[in-house]
Amino acid sequence: MKYSAPKGTRDVLPGETEKWRYIEERIHRICELYGYKEIRTPLFEQTELFVRGIGEVTDIVEKEMYTFLDKGSRSMTLRPEGTAPVARAFVEHKLFGEAQPVKLYYVGPMFRYERPQAGRFRQFSQFGVEAFGSKDPALDAEVIGLAYDFFDSLGLGQSQARVNTIGCPECRPRYRDHIKRVLSEKLGELCPDCRSRYGRNPMRILDCKNESCRAIVNDVGSIEPFLCEECSAHFALLKEYLDALSVPYTIDPRIVRGFDYYTRTVFEFTAGGIGAQDAIGGGGRYDGLIESCGGPPTPGVGFAAGIDRLLLAMEANGAAPNLNIRLGCFIVALGQESKVQSAKLVASLRRRGVSADMDYMERSMRAQMKHASRCGARFVAIIGQDELAAGVVQLRDMDRGEQWPVPLSEAVDRISECLMSASRK
Ligand code: HAM
């Protein structure tokens, strides 16, 4: 029996994991700069949290959740996103009692039962931030600015936010009615998905990717004339703050997002060259979510980016990092006695903080040298019979092709010095 990773999932092998770590380091760095603290929530939650949080009439809840009964017959769901779990944790740990806003971030796998294709996986990783406790549009601008600075730090600064507002429960129904009025005569021309959205969630018709639906939707127009005074003022200030922060953006009335928790600000970032699944991040404000999770009325705003897609986008846009991680020193040894010395030297180098390795395959001297250069060793220390007898090692600079003897007793000091001066150059 041969096994393979489940459909829509994959292994990240050495060579790739370094790139993931590179992105993760950027994530921790940007969050530190912006004052966001890391939170880790479980990979699964009670199903009810997502049904109520994300909304019953959403693609995720209707079709994409990995839901199962545990052995106690409780319905559990692998988290399809991070906002609802973080909101649950905010309420559970009474973080509303702390100084507001509470600014949190997370990195980790999410699960959606979607049809796998380029850039779309059933297990994928997200980096997300959530800021709770403030209605201030300056905070919406901060989140969009954080997202932009993060993408820019990965060489994806050409990806700009497309921003919109979807109003609040007070003014949104007016726009919804307007959409239905405008589209009522063209219902037959919409795709089957949009026909079903018409009755249940007409705003989602606006972001349908289908060409014929897109053309019809052009007649709908923006939500702006339908906004209540507060939502309108919030949106105007958001734009002012984005300008003040020099965050590039465009206004796009088609951005409506696929979760019911959003209120007012919504936004998305896309990247070129990665095919149909080109959204690298998205988010918005969700002023009713904490209440629907059983907490006190608390506004919130956040965003999440897909790390898998970021890697594809970096590759496609020539922004892939050149991560040439090298071994500090490989010890080449021949014969049992030399091998013991070699093991001793490797251990001492590692304790000194120098990455070091040796042969475990009984290779010939020549093959060990070849292996050392395959490992990207910066230096090689050779301990043959003659060196052993003379109490020295031959230290070889692999980049310059120079070689010289060093007393075995000083080898650790000398190798670390050489590496330090090599790294300064
Ligand atoms: P989302 O737009 O569903 O938002 O996901 C955010 C990002 O996750 C997407 O832009 C995309 O890059 C990535 N992503 C989503 N699904 C997949 C998939 N199947 N395969 C690969 N990547 C994927 C949210 O999840 C919201 N919780 C964001 C948010 C945070 N809103 C407020 N706070």
Side-chain angles (χ1 to χ4, degrees):
M1 178 72 188
K2 264 194 179 169
Y3 299 103
S4 49
K7 193 171 168 191
T9 73
R10 65 227 165 96
D11 304 303
V12 181
L13 299 177
E16 280 294 303
T17 43
E18 292 81 359
K19 296 181 191 161
W20 282 77
R21 282 222 314 261
Y22 170 84
I23 294 190
E24 283 156 13
E25 276 154 24
R26 299 271 147 142
I27 291 171
H28 298 303
R29 172 93 187 108
I30 195 95
C31 288
E32 194 184 325
L33 284 174
Y34 275 78
Y36 285 70
K37 299 266 159 54
E38 189 180 1
I39 180 167
R40 300 183 186 197
T41 64
L43 296 196
F44 60 92
E45 300 269 356
Q46 288 171 36
T47 302
E48 189 62 19
L49 172 70
F50 299 115
V51 176
R52 296 181 105 242
I54 297 173
E56 237 157 319
V57 189
T58 56
D59 285 351
I60 292 192
V61 170
E62 284 183 340
K63 304 186 265 199
E64 298 169 3
M65 294 207 301
Y66 276 94
T67 297
F68 58 96
L69 285 183
D70 71 8
K71 293 198 193 301
S73 298
R74 288 169 288 251
S75 180
M76 295 291 165
T77 294
L78 297 184
R79 63 181 189 192
E81 59 103 48
T83 311
V86 173
R88 193 261 314 132
F90 179 85
V91 175
E92 183 172 340
H93 303 286
K94 301 191 173 56
L95 301 185
F96 43 80
E98 296 194 355
Q100 310 287 302
V102 170
K103 306 205 289 189
L104 303 169
Y105 77 97
Y106 50 89
V107 192
M110 307 290 162
F111 307 85
R112 294 185 193 173
Y113 192 82
E114 294 189 88
R115 196 171 45 79
Q117 64 182 87
R120 187 157 78 187
F121 306 96
R122 289 183 172 169
Q123 175 175 332
F124 58 97
S125 273
Q126 275 189 354
F127 150 49
V129 309
E130 314 292 353
F132 299 98
S134 169
K135 277 191 158 130
D136 192 339
L139 192 56
D140 307 43
E142 173 178 286
V143 168
I144 298 172
L146 184 158
Y148 176 74
D149 284 353
F150 170 61
F151 296 140
D152 192 36
S153 79
L154 297 176
L156 298 172
Q158 69 279 23
S159 300
Q160 298 188 356
R162 286 182 298 141
V163 180
N164 191 22
T165 179
I166 53 166
C168 66
E170 195 200 309
C171 54
R172 197 181 308 149
R174 293 202 289 268
Y175 186 50
R176 221 181 258 147
D177 290 346
H178 164 76
I179 297 174
K180 289 181 92 165
R181 249 191 330 270
V182 174
L183 297 181
S184 64
E185 281 156 29
K186 301 189 172 151
L187 211 53
E189 298 165 44
L190 293 173
C191 73
D193 271 353
C194 284
R195 278 203 293 273
S196 108
R197 285 175 186 140
Y198 181 85
R200 302 179 312 144
N201 199 348
M203 274 178 76
R204 284 308 308 275
I205 300 174
L206 300 188
D207 74 349
C208 181
K209 299 270 187 300
N210 201 305
E211 275 310 319
S212 58
C213 296
R214 289 182 76 96
I216 297 165
V217 156
N218 278 336
D219 301 341
V220 170
S222 142
I223 193 174
E224 289 199 52
F226 301 88
L227 293 176
C228 64
E229 225 171 278
E230 278 186 25
C231 287
S232 187
H234 191 276
F235 195 39
L237 275 175
L238 167 66
K239 291 185 253 184
E240 205 177 319
Y241 280 116
L242 286 172
D243 293 335
L245 269 54
S246 300
V247 175
Y249 67 95
T250 50
I251 300 296
D252 186 344
R254 284 173 187 271
I255 302 289
V256 293
R257 309 278 298 146
F259 302 82
D260 281 359
Y261 52 58
Y262 288 121
T263 50
R264 295 188 173 164
T265 310
V266 283
F267 58 92
E268 248 168 48
F269 286 84
T270 47
I274 58 171
Q277 300 304 315
D278 60 355
I280 52 170
R285 178 163 278 285
Y286 43 83
D287 290 344
L289 180 62
I290 292 293
E291 231 177 324
S292 82
C293 292
T298 309
V301 58
F303 106 99
I307 299 179
D308 311 72
R309 282 186 201 169
L310 284 176
L311 282 160
L312 293 173
M314 286 161 74
E315 206 75 57
N317 291 281
N322 183 15
L323 299 172
N324 191 8
I325 297 167
R326 302 186 66 174
L327 185 74
C329 188
F330 191 92
I331 321 294
V332 168
L334 208 62
Q336 184 55 36
E337 219 179 313
S338 305
K339 210 174 151 189
V340 173
Q341 286 305 328
S342 160
K344 213 167 136 181
L345 185 52
V346 166
S348 308
L349 283 167
R350 288 174 178 163
R351 283 179 191 134
R352 183 66 73 84
V354 172
S355 62
D357 216 341
M358 60 183 274
D359 178 56
Y360 296 105
M361 303 306 295
E362 299 192 3
R363 291 184 174 92
S364 70
M365 204 88 149
R366 241 176 94 99
Q368 288 186 47
M369 287 301 293
K370 216 167 140 188
H371 186 63
S373 83
R374 231 185 349 240
C375 296
R378 180 67 183 78
F379 289 92
V380 164
I382 304 161
I383 316 179
Q385 301 300 326
D386 297 346
E387 285 80 17
L388 197 64
V392 297
V393 304
Q394 292 290 337
L395 191 56
R396 187 176 176 82
D397 183 326
M398 296 292 274
D399 286 4
R400 297 170 162 213
E402 292 163 7
Q403 188 170 313
W404 64 99
V406 166
L408 182 58
S409 56
E410 294 171 20
V412 175
D413 287 340
R414 295 288 183 81
I415 294 169
S416 358
E417 280 160 23
C418 285
L419 273 163
M420 254 186 317
S421 85
S423 76
R424 277 197 294 270
K425 276 174 197 150

